[in-house]
Amino acid sequence: MRSGIAFAFIVVCLIWFLSACENTDCITFSRNFIVVQFLDSADNKKDTTFSYITASSSNVIFYKDTTLSTYALPINTNRSETTYIFVGINNVMDTLQVGYISGQRLISEDCGFELQLRQIEILYSSFPNVIALQNQLSTLNEIDIEIYP
Amino acid sequence: MKYILSIVPAFLFTLSVYSQTHKYLPSQIRVGTDLSYLGLSVLSKEKSQFEINADIDFNRFLVIGDYGYASWRFADTDYEYNNSGSYFRIGLDYNFVRPDENQNAIYLGFRYAGADFNENFSYEVQDPFYGDYSNDIQDLKRNGSWLELAAGMKIRVWKGLFLGWTGRFKFASGISSPPSTFNNFWIPGYGKTSRDSRWGLNYQIFYRFPLFRKNYKPADTAKGN
């Protein structure tokens, strides 16, 4: 009986140790901006110049007089879609409407919460060819949407 | 009525005689609670939990039933989380200690557990591009279920009083919920759902209520059942 109790005590200590091993690290992979990349017909990165880029539900201009191949565009997490407006150097305007589900995840009582954007889809685009590469916005992915202007 | 009045004593007498000879009649029901949860509820402002544990013996088998209630509320500057609900466990343990007058138990068993709970989550977002906003997700009624492997002991310390512990490995959790953008965070009785499995430990106190009296022969104790 004594050996049984000693065994039980060791088991309790082991379980206690294992249960105490939980670390609440604040690692998150979600992000609240979408990364679009412009490509030419040969799938090479294509620098594209815009007078400005904004969104229909925002008063902020995200980029102004910029030439890049890759743009990071903030997402409106309070809505299920964001419509981006790309104005070129000749005042040619293109729009890109992206749909998604904005979810909330509580990481822990110490780390707070994060917003998760998933089920990314192209609702409308005036660009000739647009491809959504990712289902969920994550820092693990570099590019979310490819645009062939 | 007369018939019932006459048959009940006969039935009880038969059971009493039967229990002397048949090892699978229960000798007691043990009812208890978790001491650590009581301490937690007193000391913590955010968390409270209460649990009733019971078991009934069928020779070396113990049929287990637990019922509990838990709530957890915490907040920060930009969010508030609230969860409360009840849970239960039912299961079967095998007692490695030979049945005797003490009814001590060192056991291994399994449980099926379920929870019925309500989650609330409200938060604020500061957005420099689209404007600040807040959202309030209220009365999210959810159900959870999981399985447990359990091991532990219950030792008689004084008359009908027992002290013990139960270690649990909880796994195979599932959630049923109305559609929501808020991911489930915590299930009462299970814990955080960020992992597929959880460890748990209960420190328990029990009191036993005798059911059918059994004669444990010294020879049986020496030889075992």
Side-chain angles (χ1 to χ4, degrees):
Chain A
M1 190 65 181
R2 279 185 180 176
S3 61
I5 291 173
F7 173 74
F9 179 75
I10 291 168
V11 170
V12 170
C13 291
L14 184 65
I15 292 172
W16 182 258
F17 173 76
L18 288 170
S19 63
C21 277
E22 183 181 352
N23 54 342
T24 54
D25 42 7
C26 299
I27 296 172
T28 173
F29 295 106
S30 66
R31 53 177 158 79
N32 299 341
F33 57 89
I34 198 160
V35 179
V36 300
Q37 186 169 68
F38 290 87
L39 301 170
D40 61 20
S41 55
D43 281 344
N44 297 315
K45 291 180 189 175
K46 180 184 179 184
D47 283 345
T48 309
T49 303
F50 292 102
S51 294
Y52 65 90
I53 302 174
T54 187
S56 60
S57 53
S58 175
N59 296 322
V60 179
I61 291 175
F62 306 144
Y63 293 94
K64 188 174 183 183
D65 297 326
T66 309
T67 302
L68 291 170
S69 63
T70 304
Y71 292 87
L73 305 174
I75 278 210
N76 189 345
T77 54
N78 196 27
R79 291 189 178 183
S80 59
E81 48 83 19
T82 302
T83 302
Y84 298 103
I85 300 165
F86 300 79
V87 178
I89 47 177
N90 298 322
N91 281 335
V92 176
M93 190 172 78
D94 280 298
T95 57
L96 172 66
Q97 189 176 33
V98 181
Y100 44 83
I101 291 174
S102 181
Q104 309 82 29
R105 184 178 82 92
L106 197 49
I107 303 167
S108 74
E109 61 273 36
D110 299 319
C111 305
F113 74 98
E114 66 174 1
L115 298 172
Q116 290 181 325
L117 296 155
R118 56 182 186 272
Q119 295 187 23
I120 308 295
E121 59 177 340
I122 308 298
L123 300 178
Y124 171 79
S125 172
S126 63
F127 293 107
N129 191 9
V130 178
I131 300 169
L133 299 177
Q134 313 298 342
N135 182 262
Q136 183 166 339
L137 296 190
S138 167
T139 53
L140 300 174
N141 305 319
E142 290 185 2
I143 308 296
D144 303 308
I145 291 176
E146 288 179 342
I147 299 176
Y148 296 84
Chain B
M1 190 66 182
K2 279 183 180 178
Y3 176 73
I4 293 171
L5 288 175
S6 63
I7 205 167
V8 165
F11 178 70
L12 290 175
F13 176 76
T14 308
L15 272 181
S16 177
V17 172
Y18 187 64
S19 67
Q20 304 289 321
T21 55
H22 201 283
K23 62 182 182 180
Y24 282 103
L25 267 182
S27 67
Q28 63 174 11
I29 181 168
R30 239 181 321 227
V31 180
T33 189
D34 186 294
L35 292 169
S36 59
Y37 289 156
L38 292 178
L40 176 81
S41 301
V42 170
L43 296 174
S44 173
K45 291 178 181 175
E46 297 179 338
K47 234 175 188 175
S48 69
Q49 192 160 359
F50 178 73
E51 194 172 295
I52 295 171
N53 312 108
D55 70 75
I56 187 166
D57 66 308
F58 295 90
N59 194 29
R60 289 212 175 202
F61 293 98
L62 303 171
V63 174
I64 303 297
D66 300 335
Y67 179 82
Y69 177 85
S71 68
W72 193 9
R73 179 193 172 280
F74 58 89
D76 207 338
T77 53
D78 59 344
Y79 74 91
E80 181 177 332
Y81 175 76
N82 196 325
N83 186 329
S84 62
S86 59
Y87 59 94
F88 71 90
R89 302 185 198 100
I90 51 171
L92 193 68
D93 288 344
Y94 181 78
N95 186 2
F96 292 97
V97 180
R98 269 192 307 270
D100 60 12
E101 292 291 347
N102 286 322
Q103 290 292 332
N104 292 329
I106 295 176
Y107 55 88
L108 185 69
F110 68 90
R111 311 271 188 277
Y112 171 78
D116 187 8
F117 58 102
N118 204 339
E119 274 189 313
N120 302 292
F121 181 65
S122 57
Y123 64 97
E124 293 176 4
V125 172
Q126 293 188 331
D127 190 331
F129 301 104
Y130 299 96
D132 301 345
Y133 66 94
S134 61
N135 198 356
D136 211 1
I137 300 165
Q138 294 290 330
D139 289 330
L140 201 53
K141 297 186 191 318
R142 288 174 157 162
N143 296 297
S145 63
W146 65 95
L147 298 174
E148 294 184 0
L149 288 176
M153 58 195 296
K154 293 164 188 168
I155 304 298
R156 185 183 179 193
V157 290
W158 183 66
K159 292 188 175 178
L161 201 64
F162 289 73
L163 287 176
W165 57 263
T166 303
R168 308 174 186 283
F169 177 68
K170 310 175 213 181
F171 63 101
S173 66
I175 291 281
S176 72
S177 164
S180 172
T181 55
F182 178 62
N183 293 354
N184 170 239
F185 176 68
W186 186 70
I187 303 175
Y190 177 82
K192 292 179 189 173
T193 53
S194 54
R195 291 186 184 175
D196 293 335
S197 62
R198 289 273 158 196
W199 290 94
L201 192 62
N202 294 99
Y203 291 103
Q204 296 153 314
I205 186 168
F206 289 91
Y207 192 80
R208 85 170 173 190
F209 299 92
L211 292 178
F212 299 107
R213 183 172 176 77
K214 285 185 174 182
N215 288 331
Y216 297 102
K217 297 173 185 175
D220 286 349
T221 309
K223 291 176 185 173
N225 280 353

